[in-house]
Amino acid sequence: MKFGQKLRELRIAKWSKYYVDYIELKYILKSHLEKDDDSDEEVDEGKETRVTFAEAKDEDEVKSSKRSGMKKYGKEQPHRDLPKMSEAFFTMLEDEVNLVEALYKKVLFSLQAQLTRAKLMYHNSNELSSLQYAKTKAMSALAHHINHDINMLLSFVELNKVAVKKITKKYAKITKQPVKDRVVEEVEKARTFMKAEQLYHLREEAERFFNKVSKSAYRNAFTAVV
């Protein structure tokens, strides 16, 4: 199965507009190759290929500047020489990683807030009694829901990371320039979703909380039965 098809099948429906548009980026690459007989043409070695990305912005700034205004043509790409194709490719790639970053930050902040509220609720109601079983059971369900949503966001992040790496590998192959590692490094420096350190930390924190609440629910269930 080709990656473009895999990406469409594995993406989370409610976030479908925020995934890297891998297919559009492939069409941009083909806008040079399919209509140019000179397959050995390379980018001028004296001209540095653009692989830098603007520094990460806060959520509101990313939302307002996430699109360059570049049109998506799909299969109907205009013919481009290699330098113009490279410019179009990196402009579109930056647009796409900005979209990913915007959603990643929005959902991450929401999940952090949900976990904080859940912890406060748990500690404020953590008095053992025969009436606590229903509360701890509900709290356990809430903790499970938060963990589920964190894993959804991790899936979103990982699929987009693969998309960035695969499409830049294709670009490097077509242009015969060893830029893949440089591009990935630049995106990692400029966009936090590529390493997702806060998200992995949040998952560990949420799993510890879920285990704690589950044990409490079990104890209260046993006490209620006895």
Side-chain angles (χ1 to χ4, degrees):
M1 181 187 297
K2 292 185 177 181
F3 179 73
Q5 181 182 352
K6 183 179 179 181
L7 180 60
R8 286 195 298 269
E9 292 183 359
L10 294 180
R11 66 188 179 184
I12 297 165
K14 64 180 180 179
W15 297 337
S16 60
K17 294 180 180 180
Y18 292 88
Y19 284 82
V20 168
D21 195 338
Y22 182 83
I23 299 300
E24 179 71 16
L25 288 163
K26 276 185 67 177
Y27 283 138
I28 290 175
L29 295 179
K30 290 180 179 180
S31 71
H32 167 68
L33 286 184
E34 290 187 343
K35 301 176 182 179
D36 197 324
D37 295 330
D38 186 3
S39 60
D40 294 328
E41 180 186 359
E42 297 183 32
V43 173
D44 184 356
E45 294 182 358
K47 184 177 181 180
E48 183 79 9
T49 300
R50 174 194 174 234
V51 294
T52 58
F53 293 81
E55 289 300 316
K57 304 178 178 69
D58 63 34
E59 184 185 345
D60 291 335
E61 287 181 304
V62 170
K63 283 182 178 179
S64 64
S65 63
K66 63 190 176 186
R67 308 305 293 174
S68 65
M70 182 176 173
K71 181 180 177 180
K72 290 189 176 183
Y73 292 94
K75 292 182 179 180
E76 305 301 321
Q77 297 286 328
H79 173 60
R80 301 180 178 97
D81 61 21
L82 202 45
K84 288 183 179 178
M85 182 275 281
S86 294
E87 181 181 358
F89 175 83
F90 284 109
T91 299
M92 182 61 68
L93 180 59
E94 185 164 15
D95 280 352
E96 296 303 303
V97 297
N98 279 347
L99 279 173
V100 177
E101 182 77 358
L103 182 74
Y104 169 70
K105 285 185 173 181
K106 178 181 178 181
V107 178
L108 175 65
F109 295 157
S110 174
L111 289 169
Q112 288 171 329
Q114 289 179 50
L115 183 58
T116 298
R117 288 195 299 270
K119 284 184 171 183
L120 287 172
M121 290 169 59
Y122 174 76
H123 290 298
N124 289 338
S125 63
N126 195 25
E127 296 178 0
L128 293 177
S129 71
S130 59
L131 299 177
Q132 280 297 106
Y133 172 63
K135 289 183 179 180
T136 52
K137 185 178 179 181
M139 188 61 64
S140 181
L142 176 59
H144 175 76
H145 176 74
I146 293 172
N147 273 275
H148 174 267
D149 286 355
I150 288 172
N151 286 324
M152 283 179 62
L153 186 57
L154 278 168
S155 172
F156 171 81
V157 164
E158 291 299 324
L159 203 53
N160 279 293
K161 283 167 61 176
V162 173
V164 170
K165 291 176 181 179
K166 281 187 172 291
I167 201 64
T168 52
K169 183 178 180 180
K170 283 185 177 293
Y171 173 86
K173 182 178 179 181
I174 287 171
T175 62
K176 300 180 175 66
Q177 292 190 86
V179 297
K180 174 182 174 288
D181 291 341
R182 287 171 55 203
V183 172
V184 172
E185 182 180 345
E186 286 295 326
V187 178
E188 285 179 347
K189 286 194 298 185
R191 302 292 177 265
T192 58
F193 79 87
M194 287 292 286
K195 292 187 176 180
E197 293 173 343
Q198 290 185 340
L199 181 58
Y200 283 107
H201 175 75
L202 184 65
R203 182 176 67 172
E204 293 176 0
E205 185 181 354
E207 286 176 348
R208 288 194 297 269
F209 178 64
F210 175 70
N211 291 334
K212 183 177 182 179
V213 172
S214 296
K215 289 178 181 178
S216 179
Y218 176 80
R219 286 195 302 270
N220 287 341
F222 179 78
T223 302
V225 171
V226 173

mmCIF file with all atom_site columns, all heavy atoms in Angstrom, residues 81-102:
data_model
loop_
_atom_site.group_PDB
_atom_site.id
_atom_site.type_symbol
_atom_site.label_atom_id
_atom_site.label_alt_id
_atom_site.label_comp_id
_atom_site.label_asym_id
_atom_site.label_entity_id
_atom_site.label_seq_id
_atom_site.pdbx_PDB_ins_code
_atom_site.Cartn_x
_atom_site.Cartn_y
_atom_site.Cartn_z
_atom_site.occupancy
_atom_site.B_iso_or_equiv
_atom_site.pdbx_formal_charge
_atom_site.auth_seq_id
_atom_site.auth_comp_id
_atom_site.auth_asym_id
_atom_site.auth_atom_id
_atom_site.pdbx_PDB_model_num
ATOM 1   N N   . ASP A 1 81  ? 9.926  24.872 -13.759 1.00 0.00 ? 81  ASP A N   1
ATOM 2   C CA  . ASP A 1 81  ? 11.312 24.416 -13.841 1.00 0.00 ? 81  ASP A CA  1
ATOM 3   C C   . ASP A 1 81  ? 11.737 24.003 -12.432 1.00 0.00 ? 81  ASP A C   1
ATOM 4   O O   . ASP A 1 81  ? 10.995 24.181 -11.462 1.00 0.00 ? 81  ASP A O   1
ATOM 5   C CB  . ASP A 1 81  ? 12.224 25.489 -14.449 1.00 0.00 ? 81  ASP A CB  1
ATOM 6   C CG  . ASP A 1 81  ? 12.261 26.774 -13.631 1.00 0.00 ? 81  ASP A CG  1
ATOM 7   O OD1 . ASP A 1 81  ? 11.930 26.744 -12.418 1.00 0.00 ? 81  ASP A OD1 1
ATOM 8   O OD2 . ASP A 1 81  ? 12.614 27.827 -14.196 1.00 0.00 ? 81  ASP A OD2 1
ATOM 9   N N   . LEU A 1 82  ? 12.920 23.454 -12.310 1.00 0.00 ? 82  LEU A N   1
ATOM 10  C CA  . LEU A 1 82  ? 13.314 22.877 -11.030 1.00 0.00 ? 82  LEU A CA  1
ATOM 11  C C   . LEU A 1 82  ? 13.411 23.902 -9.893  1.00 0.00 ? 82  LEU A C   1
ATOM 12  O O   . LEU A 1 82  ? 12.928 23.643 -8.786  1.00 0.00 ? 82  LEU A O   1
ATOM 13  C CB  . LEU A 1 82  ? 14.633 22.121 -11.191 1.00 0.00 ? 82  LEU A CB  1
ATOM 14  C CG  . LEU A 1 82  ? 14.938 21.038 -10.147 1.00 0.00 ? 82  LEU A CG  1
ATOM 15  C CD1 . LEU A 1 82  ? 13.739 20.162 -9.867  1.00 0.00 ? 82  LEU A CD1 1
ATOM 16  C CD2 . LEU A 1 82  ? 16.131 20.208 -10.593 1.00 0.00 ? 82  LEU A CD2 1
ATOM 17  N N   . PRO A 1 83  ? 14.010 25.078 -10.114 1.00 0.00 ? 83  PRO A N   1
ATOM 18  C CA  . PRO A 1 83  ? 14.037 26.068 -9.023  1.00 0.00 ? 83  PRO A CA  1
ATOM 19  C C   . PRO A 1 83  ? 12.637 26.490 -8.568  1.00 0.00 ? 83  PRO A C   1
ATOM 20  O O   . PRO A 1 83  ? 12.388 26.629 -7.371  1.00 0.00 ? 83  PRO A O   1
ATOM 21  C CB  . PRO A 1 83  ? 14.816 27.242 -9.625  1.00 0.00 ? 83  PRO A CB  1
ATOM 22  C CG  . PRO A 1 83  ? 15.683 26.617 -10.667 1.00 0.00 ? 83  PRO A CG  1
ATOM 23  C CD  . PRO A 1 83  ? 14.838 25.530 -11.266 1.00 0.00 ? 83  PRO A CD  1
ATOM 24  N N   . LYS A 1 84  ? 11.716 26.693 -9.528  1.00 0.00 ? 84  LYS A N   1
ATOM 25  C CA  . LYS A 1 84  ? 10.354 27.086 -9.159  1.00 0.00 ? 84  LYS A CA  1
ATOM 26  C C   . LYS A 1 84  ? 9.621  25.949 -8.455  1.00 0.00 ? 84  LYS A C   1
ATOM 27  O O   . LYS A 1 84  ? 8.817  26.177 -7.548  1.00 0.00 ? 84  LYS A O   1
ATOM 28  C CB  . LYS A 1 84  ? 9.583  27.542 -10.395 1.00 0.00 ? 84  LYS A CB  1
ATOM 29  C CG  . LYS A 1 84  ? 10.042 28.892 -10.923 1.00 0.00 ? 84  LYS A CG  1
ATOM 30  C CD  . LYS A 1 84  ? 9.209  29.341 -12.110 1.00 0.00 ? 84  LYS A CD  1
ATOM 31  C CE  . LYS A 1 84  ? 9.673  30.709 -12.601 1.00 0.00 ? 84  LYS A CE  1
ATOM 32  N NZ  . LYS A 1 84  ? 8.898  31.153 -13.788 1.00 0.00 ? 84  LYS A NZ  1
ATOM 33  N N   . MET A 1 85  ? 9.885  24.722 -8.891  1.00 0.00 ? 85  MET A N   1
ATOM 34  C CA  . MET A 1 85  ? 9.283  23.580 -8.206  1.00 0.00 ? 85  MET A CA  1
ATOM 35  C C   . MET A 1 85  ? 9.766  23.509 -6.763  1.00 0.00 ? 85  MET A C   1
ATOM 36  O O   . MET A 1 85  ? 8.988  23.268 -5.839  1.00 0.00 ? 85  MET A O   1
ATOM 37  C CB  . MET A 1 85  ? 9.614  22.285 -8.940  1.00 0.00 ? 85  MET A CB  1
ATOM 38  C CG  . MET A 1 85  ? 8.979  21.031 -8.333  1.00 0.00 ? 85  MET A CG  1
ATOM 39  S SD  . MET A 1 85  ? 9.953  20.311 -6.985  1.00 0.00 ? 85  MET A SD  1
ATOM 40  C CE  . MET A 1 85  ? 11.206 19.445 -7.917  1.00 0.00 ? 85  MET A CE  1
ATOM 41  N N   . SER A 1 86  ? 11.060 23.738 -6.551  1.00 0.00 ? 86  SER A N   1
ATOM 42  C CA  . SER A 1 86  ? 11.619 23.696 -5.199  1.00 0.00 ? 86  SER A CA  1
ATOM 43  C C   . SER A 1 86  ? 10.984 24.773 -4.321  1.00 0.00 ? 86  SER A C   1
ATOM 44  O O   . SER A 1 86  ? 10.636 24.528 -3.163  1.00 0.00 ? 86  SER A O   1
ATOM 45  C CB  . SER A 1 86  ? 13.136 23.899 -5.245  1.00 0.00 ? 86  SER A CB  1
ATOM 46  O OG  . SER A 1 86  ? 13.770 22.813 -5.888  1.00 0.00 ? 86  SER A OG  1
ATOM 47  N N   . GLU A 1 87  ? 10.825 25.966 -4.890  1.00 0.00 ? 87  GLU A N   1
ATOM 48  C CA  . GLU A 1 87  ? 10.208 27.062 -4.134  1.00 0.00 ? 87  GLU A CA  1
ATOM 49  C C   . GLU A 1 87  ? 8.771  26.710 -3.765  1.00 0.00 ? 87  GLU A C   1
ATOM 50  O O   . GLU A 1 87  ? 8.332  26.916 -2.623  1.00 0.00 ? 87  GLU A O   1
ATOM 51  C CB  . GLU A 1 87  ? 10.233 28.346 -4.957  1.00 0.00 ? 87  GLU A CB  1
ATOM 52  C CG  . GLU A 1 87  ? 9.622  29.538 -4.238  1.00 0.00 ? 87  GLU A CG  1
ATOM 53  C CD  . GLU A 1 87  ? 9.624  30.807 -5.085  1.00 0.00 ? 87  GLU A CD  1
ATOM 54  O OE1 . GLU A 1 87  ? 10.142 30.768 -6.218  1.00 0.00 ? 87  GLU A OE1 1
ATOM 55  O OE2 . GLU A 1 87  ? 9.086  31.823 -4.611  1.00 0.00 ? 87  GLU A OE2 1
ATOM 56  N N   . ALA A 1 88  ? 8.023  26.170 -4.736  1.00 0.00 ? 88  ALA A N   1
ATOM 57  C CA  . ALA A 1 88  ? 6.635  25.798 -4.477  1.00 0.00 ? 88  ALA A CA  1
ATOM 58  C C   . ALA A 1 88  ? 6.553  24.676 -3.445  1.00 0.00 ? 88  ALA A C   1
ATOM 59  O O   . ALA A 1 88  ? 5.694  24.694 -2.553  1.00 0.00 ? 88  ALA A O   1
ATOM 60  C CB  . ALA A 1 88  ? 5.962  25.356 -5.776  1.00 0.00 ? 88  ALA A CB  1
ATOM 61  N N   . PHE A 1 89  ? 7.453  23.728 -3.549  1.00 0.00 ? 89  PHE A N   1
ATOM 62  C CA  . PHE A 1 89  ? 7.453  22.582 -2.635  1.00 0.00 ? 89  PHE A CA  1
ATOM 63  C C   . PHE A 1 89  ? 7.663  23.032 -1.190  1.00 0.00 ? 89  PHE A C   1
ATOM 64  O O   . PHE A 1 89  ? 6.903  22.652 -0.289  1.00 0.00 ? 89  PHE A O   1
ATOM 65  C CB  . PHE A 1 89  ? 8.543  21.588 -3.039  1.00 0.00 ? 89  PHE A CB  1
ATOM 66  C CG  . PHE A 1 89  ? 8.698  20.437 -2.088  1.00 0.00 ? 89  PHE A CG  1
ATOM 67  C CD1 . PHE A 1 89  ? 7.871  19.325 -2.185  1.00 0.00 ? 89  PHE A CD1 1
ATOM 68  C CD2 . PHE A 1 89  ? 9.666  20.461 -1.100  1.00 0.00 ? 89  PHE A CD2 1
ATOM 69  C CE1 . PHE A 1 89  ? 8.001  18.268 -1.299  1.00 0.00 ? 89  PHE A CE1 1
ATOM 70  C CE2 . PHE A 1 89  ? 9.805  19.404 -0.211  1.00 0.00 ? 89  PHE A CE2 1
ATOM 71  C CZ  . PHE A 1 89  ? 8.974  18.302 -0.312  1.00 0.00 ? 89  PHE A CZ  1
ATOM 72  N N   . PHE A 1 90  ? 8.679  23.856 -0.954  1.00 0.00 ? 90  PHE A N   1
ATOM 73  C CA  . PHE A 1 90  ? 8.986  24.262 0.415   1.00 0.00 ? 90  PHE A CA  1
ATOM 74  C C   . PHE A 1 90  ? 7.957  25.249 0.972   1.00 0.00 ? 90  PHE A C   1
ATOM 75  O O   . PHE A 1 90  ? 7.692  25.266 2.178   1.00 0.00 ? 90  PHE A O   1
ATOM 76  C CB  . PHE A 1 90  ? 10.402 24.805 0.517   1.00 0.00 ? 90  PHE A CB  1
ATOM 77  C CG  . PHE A 1 90  ? 11.439 23.723 0.483   1.00 0.00 ? 90  PHE A CG  1
ATOM 78  C CD1 . PHE A 1 90  ? 12.256 23.561 -0.624  1.00 0.00 ? 90  PHE A CD1 1
ATOM 79  C CD2 . PHE A 1 90  ? 11.577 22.843 1.550   1.00 0.00 ? 90  PHE A CD2 1
ATOM 80  C CE1 . PHE A 1 90  ? 13.198 22.548 -0.666  1.00 0.00 ? 90  PHE A CE1 1
ATOM 81  C CE2 . PHE A 1 90  ? 12.513 21.825 1.524   1.00 0.00 ? 90  PHE A CE2 1
ATOM 82  C CZ  . PHE A 1 90  ? 13.337 21.670 0.416   1.00 0.00 ? 90  PHE A CZ  1
ATOM 83  N N   . THR A 1 91  ? 7.358  26.065 0.095   1.00 0.00 ? 91  THR A N   1
ATOM 84  C CA  . THR A 1 91  ? 6.286  26.946 0.546   1.00 0.00 ? 91  THR A CA  1
ATOM 85  C C   . THR A 1 91  ? 5.089  26.136 1.022   1.00 0.00 ? 91  THR A C   1
ATOM 86  O O   . THR A 1 91  ? 4.523  26.375 2.098   1.00 0.00 ? 91  THR A O   1
ATOM 87  C CB  . THR A 1 91  ? 5.857  27.903 -0.585  1.00 0.00 ? 91  THR A CB  1
ATOM 88  O OG1 . THR A 1 91  ? 6.973  28.712 -0.967  1.00 0.00 ? 91  THR A OG1 1
ATOM 89  C CG2 . THR A 1 91  ? 4.707  28.800 -0.130  1.00 0.00 ? 91  THR A CG2 1
ATOM 90  N N   . MET A 1 92  ? 4.714  25.132 0.218   1.00 0.00 ? 92  MET A N   1
ATOM 91  C CA  . MET A 1 92  ? 3.585  24.285 0.587   1.00 0.00 ? 92  MET A CA  1
ATOM 92  C C   . MET A 1 92  ? 3.893  23.438 1.817   1.00 0.00 ? 92  MET A C   1
ATOM 93  O O   . MET A 1 92  ? 3.044  23.268 2.705   1.00 0.00 ? 92  MET A O   1
ATOM 94  C CB  . MET A 1 92  ? 3.195  23.381 -0.588  1.00 0.00 ? 92  MET A CB  1
ATOM 95  C CG  . MET A 1 92  ? 1.973  22.486 -0.308  1.00 0.00 ? 92  MET A CG  1
ATOM 96  S SD  . MET A 1 92  ? 0.468  23.436 0.056   1.00 0.00 ? 92  MET A SD  1
ATOM 97  C CE  . MET A 1 92  ? 0.148  24.183 -1.557  1.00 0.00 ? 92  MET A CE  1
ATOM 98  N N   . LEU A 1 93  ? 5.114  22.929 1.907   1.00 0.00 ? 93  LEU A N   1
ATOM 99  C CA  . LEU A 1 93  ? 5.489  22.122 3.063   1.00 0.00 ? 93  LEU A CA  1
ATOM 100 C C   . LEU A 1 93  ? 5.398  22.943 4.346   1.00 0.00 ? 93  LEU A C   1
ATOM 101 O O   . LEU A 1 93  ? 4.902  22.457 5.372   1.00 0.00 ? 93  LEU A O   1
ATOM 102 C CB  . LEU A 1 93  ? 6.903  21.561 2.890   1.00 0.00 ? 93  LEU A CB  1
ATOM 103 C CG  . LEU A 1 93  ? 7.421  20.684 4.039   1.00 0.00 ? 93  LEU A CG  1
ATOM 104 C CD1 . LEU A 1 93  ? 6.519  19.470 4.260   1.00 0.00 ? 93  LEU A CD1 1
ATOM 105 C CD2 . LEU A 1 93  ? 8.857  20.234 3.763   1.00 0.00 ? 93  LEU A CD2 1
ATOM 106 N N   . GLU A 1 94  ? 5.834  24.193 4.297   1.00 0.00 ? 94  GLU A N   1
ATOM 107 C CA  . GLU A 1 94  ? 5.737  25.036 5.486   1.00 0.00 ? 94  GLU A CA  1
ATOM 108 C C   . GLU A 1 94  ? 4.283  25.319 5.842   1.00 0.00 ? 94  GLU A C   1
ATOM 109 O O   . GLU A 1 94  ? 3.905  25.321 7.020   1.00 0.00 ? 94  GLU A O   1
ATOM 110 C CB  . GLU A 1 94  ? 6.501  26.349 5.304   1.00 0.00 ? 94  GLU A CB  1
ATOM 111 C CG  . GLU A 1 94  ? 6.528  27.188 6.574   1.00 0.00 ? 94  GLU A CG  1
ATOM 112 C CD  . GLU A 1 94  ? 7.577  28.281 6.545   1.00 0.00 ? 94  GLU A CD  1
ATOM 113 O OE1 . GLU A 1 94  ? 8.102  28.587 5.450   1.00 0.00 ? 94  GLU A OE1 1
ATOM 114 O OE2 . GLU A 1 94  ? 7.883  28.829 7.622   1.00 0.00 ? 94  GLU A OE2 1
ATOM 115 N N   . ASP A 1 95  ? 3.440  25.550 4.832   1.00 0.00 ? 95  ASP A N   1
ATOM 116 C CA  . ASP A 1 95  ? 2.008  25.707 5.091   1.00 0.00 ? 95  ASP A CA  1
ATOM 117 C C   . ASP A 1 95  ? 1.462  24.492 5.841   1.00 0.00 ? 95  ASP A C   1
ATOM 118 O O   . ASP A 1 95  ? 0.696  24.624 6.802   1.00 0.00 ? 95  ASP A O   1
ATOM 119 C CB  . ASP A 1 95  ? 1.246  25.839 3.767   1.00 0.00 ? 95  ASP A CB  1
ATOM 120 C CG  . ASP A 1 95  ? 1.324  27.235 3.176   1.00 0.00 ? 95  ASP A CG  1
ATOM 121 O OD1 . ASP A 1 95  ? 1.837  28.150 3.851   1.00 0.00 ? 95  ASP A OD1 1
ATOM 122 O OD2 . ASP A 1 95  ? 0.871  27.409 2.031   1.00 0.00 ? 95  ASP A OD2 1
ATOM 123 N N   . GLU A 1 96  ? 1.849  23.319 5.372   1.00 0.00 ? 96  GLU A N   1
ATOM 124 C CA  . GLU A 1 96  ? 1.299  22.087 5.925   1.00 0.00 ? 96  GLU A CA  1
ATOM 125 C C   . GLU A 1 96  ? 1.777  21.836 7.359   1.00 0.00 ? 96  GLU A C   1
ATOM 126 O O   . GLU A 1 96  ? 0.985  21.439 8.216   1.00 0.00 ? 96  GLU A O   1
ATOM 127 C CB  . GLU A 1 96  ? 1.657  20.898 5.015   1.00 0.00 ? 96  GLU A CB  1
ATOM 128 C CG  . GLU A 1 96  ? 1.049  20.976 3.627   1.00 0.00 ? 96  GLU A CG  1
ATOM 129 C CD  . GLU A 1 96  ? -0.463 21.094 3.674   1.00 0.00 ? 96  GLU A CD  1
ATOM 130 O OE1 . GLU A 1 96  ? -1.108 20.214 4.260   1.00 0.00 ? 96  GLU A OE1 1
ATOM 131 O OE2 . GLU A 1 96  ? -1.002 22.083 3.131   1.00 0.00 ? 96  GLU A OE2 1
ATOM 132 N N   . VAL A 1 97  ? 3.051  22.053 7.635   1.00 0.00 ? 97  VAL A N   1
ATOM 133 C CA  . VAL A 1 97  ? 3.525  21.819 9.006   1.00 0.00 ? 97  VAL A CA  1
ATOM 134 C C   . VAL A 1 97  ? 2.964  22.874 9.962   1.00 0.00 ? 97  VAL A C   1
ATOM 135 O O   . VAL A 1 97  ? 2.799  22.607 11.153  1.00 0.00 ? 97  VAL A O   1
ATOM 136 C CB  . VAL A 1 97  ? 5.068  21.744 9.096   1.00 0.00 ? 97  VAL A CB  1
ATOM 137 C CG1 . VAL A 1 97  ? 5.599  20.567 8.296   1.00 0.00 ? 97  VAL A CG1 1
ATOM 138 C CG2 . VAL A 1 97  ? 5.736  23.037 8.685   1.00 0.00 ? 97  VAL A CG2 1
ATOM 139 N N   . ASN A 1 98  ? 2.638  24.056 9.447   1.00 0.00 ? 98  ASN A N   1
ATOM 140 C CA  . ASN A 1 98  ? 1.974  25.063 10.281  1.00 0.00 ? 98  ASN A CA  1
ATOM 141 C C   . ASN A 1 98  ? 0.580  24.598 10.706  1.00 0.00 ? 98  ASN A C   1
ATOM 142 O O   . ASN A 1 98  ? 0.159  24.807 11.843  1.00 0.00 ? 98  ASN A O   1
ATOM 143 C CB  . ASN A 1 98  ? 1.851  26.389 9.533   1.00 0.00 ? 98  ASN A CB  1
ATOM 144 C CG  . ASN A 1 98  ? 3.127  27.201 9.575   1.00 0.00 ? 98  ASN A CG  1
ATOM 145 O OD1 . ASN A 1 98  ? 4.031  26.918 10.347  1.00 0.00 ? 98  ASN A OD1 1
ATOM 146 N ND2 . ASN A 1 98  ? 3.210  28.217 8.732   1.00 0.00 ? 98  ASN A ND2 1
ATOM 147 N N   . LEU A 1 99  ? -0.135 23.947 9.783   1.00 0.00 ? 99  LEU A N   1
ATOM 148 C CA  . LEU A 1 99  ? -1.455 23.414 10.108  1.00 0.00 ? 99  LEU A CA  1
ATOM 149 C C   . LEU A 1 99  ? -1.360 22.335 11.181  1.00 0.00 ? 99  LEU A C   1
ATOM 150 O O   . LEU A 1 99  ? -2.142 22.311 12.129  1.00 0.00 ? 99  LEU A O   1
ATOM 151 C CB  . LEU A 1 99  ? -2.110 22.825 8.852   1.00 0.00 ? 99  LEU A CB  1
ATOM 152 C CG  . LEU A 1 99  ? -2.782 23.804 7.896   1.00 0.00 ? 99  LEU A CG  1
ATOM 153 C CD1 . LEU A 1 99  ? -3.225 23.075 6.637   1.00 0.00 ? 99  LEU A CD1 1
ATOM 154 C CD2 . LEU A 1 99  ? -3.974 24.472 8.555   1.00 0.00 ? 99  LEU A CD2 1
ATOM 155 N N   . VAL A 1 100 ? -0.402 21.438 11.013  1.00 0.00 ? 100 VAL A N   1
ATOM 156 C CA  . VAL A 1 100 ? -0.203 20.371 11.997  1.00 0.00 ? 100 VAL A CA  1
ATOM 157 C C   . VAL A 1 100 ? 0.115  20.967 13.361  1.00 0.00 ? 100 VAL A C   1
ATOM 158 O O   . VAL A 1 100 ? -0.449 20.571 14.388  1.00 0.00 ? 100 VAL A O   1
ATOM 159 C CB  . VAL A 1 100 ? 0.926  19.419 11.555  1.00 0.00 ? 100 VAL A CB  1
ATOM 160 C CG1 . VAL A 1 100 ? 1.185  18.357 12.629  1.00 0.00 ? 100 VAL A CG1 1
ATOM 161 C CG2 . VAL A 1 100 ? 0.593  18.748 10.234  1.00 0.00 ? 100 VAL A CG2 1
ATOM 162 N N   . GLU A 1 101 ? 1.021  21.936 13.375  1.00 0.00 ? 101 GLU A N   1
ATOM 163 C CA  . GLU A 1 101 ? 1.448  22.551 14.631  1.00 0.00 ? 101 GLU A CA  1
ATOM 164 C C   . GLU A 1 101 ? 0.277  23.248 15.330  1.00 0.00 ? 101 GLU A C   1
ATOM 165 O O   . GLU A 1 101 ? 0.140  23.162 16.563  1.00 0.00 ? 101 GLU A O   1
ATOM 166 C CB  . GLU A 1 101 ? 2.571  23.553 14.363  1.00 0.00 ? 101 GLU A CB  1
ATOM 167 C CG  . GLU A 1 101 ? 3.129  24.235 15.596  1.00 0.00 ? 101 GLU A CG  1
ATOM 168 C CD  . GLU A 1 101 ? 4.071  23.370 16.402  1.00 0.00 ? 101 GLU A CD  1
ATOM 169 O OE1 . GLU A 1 101 ? 4.282  22.196 16.026  1.00 0.00 ? 101 GLU A OE1 1
ATOM 170 O OE2 . GLU A 1 101 ? 4.604  23.857 17.411  1.00 0.00 ? 101 GLU A OE2 1
ATOM 171 N N   . ALA A 1 102 ? -0.562 23.925 14.562  1.00 0.00 ? 102 ALA A N   1
ATOM 172 C CA  . ALA A 1 102 ? -1.693 24.641 15.154  1.00 0.00 ? 102 ALA A CA  1
ATOM 173 C C   . ALA A 1 102 ? -2.634 23.682 15.869  1.00 0.00 ? 102 ALA A C   1
ATOM 174 O O   . ALA A 1 102 ? -3.055 23.934 17.003  1.00 0.00 ? 102 ALA A O   1
ATOM 175 C CB  . ALA A 1 102 ? -2.448 25.417 14.071  1.00 0.00 ? 102 ALA A CB  1
#
